[in-house]
Amino acid sequence: QLVESGGGSVQAGGSLRLSCAASGRTFNNNGVGWFRQAPGKEREFVAGLNWRGGDTLYADSVKGRFSVSRDNAKNQVNLQMNSLKPEDTAVYYCASALSAVASRSSDRYRYWGQGTLVTVSS
């Protein structure tokens, strides 16, 4: 089970840090992805972290503003979000990939968290 935390409300330009904890299990050497879904829109890829090597990938819309990292001691993956914009408002989900490699496609993920809401006001 994956559990996200850290969502909330912030003004444009602010920052939030989301965390994804593997409750009752480890990430088991799987890649981890962050996705988001805004009201009335489809779920979209935000960021991903390969388990081996730590390579990351980002959606163009968040590149340079968001950063994904792993905290082995806490068995969690974090998404640092800076310079937030109103269009970043969405429910954010973390997911565990089918392999050690993160993917931009949601079909490549097996376990999903319940989501955490991020609201950015202008």
Side-chain angles (χ1 to χ4, degrees), residues 67-80:
S67 177
V68 60
S69 63
R70 185 173 73 202
D71 187 333
N72 289 330
K74 296 182 178 180
N75 193 31
Q76 66 183 31
V77 174
N78 301 316
L79 182 68
Q80 179 66 41

Side-chain angles (χ1 to χ4, degrees), residues 16-32:
L16 282 174
R17 186 180 187 183
L18 305 183
S19 294
C20 176
S23 175
R25 64 185 296 275
T26 67
F27 285 104
N28 201 31
N29 299 324
N30 295 106
V32 177

Side-chain angles (χ1 to χ4, degrees), residues 1 6 8 14 16 18 21-22 35-37 39-40 43 45 47 53 55 59-60 63 68 75 80 89 106 122:
Q1 181 181 2
L16 282 174
L18 305 183
F35 291 76
R36 67 186 181 187
Q37 187 167 19
R43 187 174 298 186
F45 172 80
D55 292 340
D60 288 343
K63 197 173 296 182
V68 60
N75 193 31
Q80 179 66 41
T89 294
S106 59
S122 57

Side-chain angles (χ1 to χ4, degrees), residues 38-60:
K41 295 187 177 181
E42 294 186 352
R43 187 174 298 186
E44 64 174 358
F45 172 80
V46 175
L49 174 69
N50 292 345
W51 203 253
R52 300 193 187 99
D55 292 340
T56 57
L57 61 162
Y58 298 96
D60 288 343

